[in-house]
Amino acid sequence: SYDGGGTPASLDAIQKESNNAWSEAELGILGAIDKIGIAATSLIWGRVLQRCNAKLLLAGGLLVNAAAAFLFGSLRNKILIYCTKLFLGATQSLQGVWATVWVVTMAPPEFLTMWLGLVGFAAGLGNGIGTAIAGFTTANGLPYSFAFQLQAGVLGAFWVMLILMPPRWFRTSLSGVRDDGTKAEESDESAKIPRTKAQLSLLIKNDVYVNTALQISLIMFQMSGIQFLWVRFFVSTWNLNKSWVTTMFLVVSGIGGGIGIAVGPAYIDRMGGYQSAGAMAKSIQALEVFNFVAFLSAIVGIFCVAFRVSLNDGSTANAWEDWGDVWLWLLWVSIGMLQVAHSASNAALCGINIQVVPENMRTVASGAEMTIRNILGYAFGPLLPALFMSFLEWNWSWQNPTQSQQVKLLCFGMGFVLVVNLCGIINMRK
């Protein structure tokens, strides 16, 4: 997840090093294309994991991922950069599909939601580290390539560690598996697995599976959209120093996500999780409360952004005066509460999503959910606000936006993300 944070934090440096050669739409595609790679391959990995040795697949995927991270930082041609980002996503999807099913298989039932929360925490931690390293190094004059070449080196070390681990640690099913992690009685075991088309048909008919997948996607849309806009929005709109903006992102997302992960999964597990129909009903009621908190937080955030747009001259007052700006702090608090509510509910949504699916279909179900999540969530998160801003730029005939016009475009982009977030309360009521 490191490059998921490193890329948005490097966008201004990428623009600077390329002499502003990237349009808003192209930056949106850059932020989304790795998610397109994830979406395009998740179902494939889900099916392959049902039939192949998980350790060998994960080792191969991690090696390619490390190479793609190095090339992403080293190349300067747009097409080649897009291709390396696509490969980053295609190999990350394997890790994601495997991780969810592995946790559901191996976690003690009374701690399942907490284990899923820790997976989310790990992804958020990697994202935050990427944001911090890319944000602070580019703010202090280093090229953006440094952060991604560092990522490649660390991934290489992880690959060596993975190679030394026994295959049985990576299995995603406790039935029909030898101690070395390979399938036992392959022909009999394979016969029990429906074809991919049949599995997808059954998943589409499962209302709980579909609605939880959509809710997870909406959470990821909000998180990726805000992160994509964060640095440019606060640097341009409030004229803040990039190092301060990066720090506040880590504070807001770290504290918000940490509180949500600490409180939400523990509360859900104490109520019985979702191992029975009664426990699942109670968990869904708790998720509705979390979602209502996110709804109210988005409303507050929209008002804060609207207030900034109302300053018709687009002025950006002295940065230190703005630190005392109540609207700025209120916006940060509202985004932080969004992080709390979404982090509190995400682990349980993932657990319910996979728990309502038969065990022999779970890798494909995880791949399908990841496809939905990465198209509607992670990919659309940066892409739709960027396209919306490009549309406004074209509609208002702003060929080369002034500082005032750029402020308004970024405000509308951030407002767009928060408005879409309001759809979550409608979906949860289903």
Side-chain angles (χ1 to χ4, degrees):
S1 302
Y2 175 101
D3 61 278
T7 301
S10 303
L11 290 179
D12 59 336
I14 291 173
Q15 274 284 46
K16 183 178 179 180
E17 291 184 32
S18 64
N19 296 318
N20 296 315
W22 296 75
S23 68
E24 287 291 345
E26 288 173 332
L27 289 175
I29 294 172
L30 181 64
I33 197 165
D34 56 325
K35 312 307 184 297
I36 295 172
I38 294 174
T41 56
S42 293
L43 270 175
I44 298 172
W45 291 129
R47 186 63 174 176
V48 172
L49 279 167
Q50 289 179 333
R51 298 180 174 276
C52 299
N53 184 293
K55 177 184 173 178
L56 292 179
L57 287 173
L58 292 169
L62 188 56
L63 188 62
V64 174
N65 190 263
F70 180 85
L71 291 173
F72 177 75
S74 304
L75 299 172
R76 292 297 179 267
N77 179 275
K78 287 182 183 179
I79 300 299
L80 294 179
I81 289 175
Y82 282 146
C83 289
T84 56
K85 254 305 208 182
L86 192 68
F87 273 103
L88 278 169
T91 48
Q92 286 168 356
S93 65
L94 171 60
Q95 313 282 339
V97 171
W98 168 82
T100 301
V101 181
W102 183 89
V103 168
V104 172
T105 302
M106 298 298 180
E110 64 273 21
F111 297 117
L112 176 56
T113 312
M114 182 57 71
W115 277 43
L116 287 167
L118 290 174
V119 173
F121 174 78
L125 180 63
N127 192 291
I129 292 173
T131 300
I133 293 177
F136 289 127
T137 55
T138 55
N140 286 280
L142 287 175
Y144 75 87
S145 59
F146 173 82
F148 297 98
Q149 290 167 355
L150 178 64
Q151 176 193 10
V154 175
L155 288 174
F158 285 156
W159 179 82
V160 173
M161 293 169 60
L162 189 153
I163 290 295
L164 298 176
M165 295 176 184
R168 66 179 182 275
W169 288 8
F170 300 92
R171 62 190 185 186
T172 56
S173 173
L174 297 179
S175 60
V177 178
R178 301 188 184 97
D179 286 341
D180 64 356
T182 60
K183 292 283 185 184
E185 301 176 2
E186 183 67 31
S187 59
D188 294 337
E189 188 70 17
S190 299
K192 300 176 184 177
I193 302 174
R195 293 183 178 273
T196 304
K197 184 177 179 180
Q199 294 183 61
L200 292 175
S201 178
L202 292 172
L203 292 174
I204 291 172
K205 296 174 183 177
N206 189 326
D207 290 341
V208 176
Y209 174 84
V210 171
N211 284 325
T212 50
L214 291 175
Q215 192 66 22
I216 293 168
S217 299
L218 198 60
I219 290 174
M220 301 312 165
F221 176 92
Q222 174 262 313
M223 290 182 173
S224 62
I226 288 176
Q227 184 176 20
F228 174 73
L229 293 168
W230 184 279
V231 170
R232 291 185 300 150
F233 176 75
F234 286 109
V235 168
S236 298
T237 305
W238 266 278
N239 198 30
L240 299 175
N241 178 275
K242 183 180 179 180
S243 294
W244 279 111
V245 171
T246 302
T247 300
M248 287 308 301
F249 175 79
L250 297 174
V251 170
V252 171
S253 61
I255 293 177
I259 292 174
I261 290 172
V263 173
Y267 181 69
I268 296 290
D269 282 335
R270 278 200 302 271
M271 291 195 305
Y274 24 85
Q275 304 300 317
S276 65
M280 187 176 294
K282 291 180 181 179
S283 296
I284 290 175
Q285 288 177 351
L287 292 175
E288 289 179 348
V289 174
F290 296 151
N291 194 61
F292 187 66
V293 173
F295 177 84
L296 294 178
S297 301
I299 292 290
V300 174
I302 290 168
F303 274 109
C304 293
V305 174
F307 173 79
R308 192 62 181 133
V309 173
S310 70
L311 300 179
N312 293 326
D313 61 351
S315 62
T316 52
N318 181 273
W320 296 108
E321 293 177 1
D322 282 338
W323 279 108
D325 186 340
V326 66
W327 293 100
L328 174 62
W329 285 101
L330 189 59
L331 179 57
W332 276 334
V333 170
S334 69
I335 293 175
M337 288 303 299
L338 268 176
Q339 295 280 1
V340 171
H342 286 329
S343 298
S345 59
N346 189 55
L349 287 168
C350 291
I352 294 171
N353 179 266
I354 205 73
Q355 195 73 30
V356 297
V357 176
E359 183 178 335
N360 67 339
M361 291 173 49
R362 284 180 178 172
T363 55
V364 166
S366 178
E369 184 275 314
M370 189 159 290
T371 299
I372 297 170
R373 174 195 306 199
N374 280 277
I375 293 176
L376 300 183
Y378 285 126
F380 280 9
L383 185 58
L384 292 188
L387 292 176
F388 181 61
M389 291 160 60
S390 291
F391 169 77
L392 294 178
E393 193 174 350
W394 168 80
N395 187 57
W396 293 333
S397 301
W398 292 350
Q399 300 297 330
N400 295 297
T402 64
Q403 174 68 15
S404 172
Q405 293 168 342
Q406 188 66 33
V407 165
K408 290 182 179 180
L409 286 173
L410 289 167
C411 284
F412 276 106
M414 184 66 78
F416 177 87
V417 173
L418 295 172
V419 168
V420 172
N421 181 75
L422 302 183
C423 300
I425 197 166
I426 300 172
N427 184 59
M428 275 303 296
R429 295 306 301 173
K430 296 181 180 179

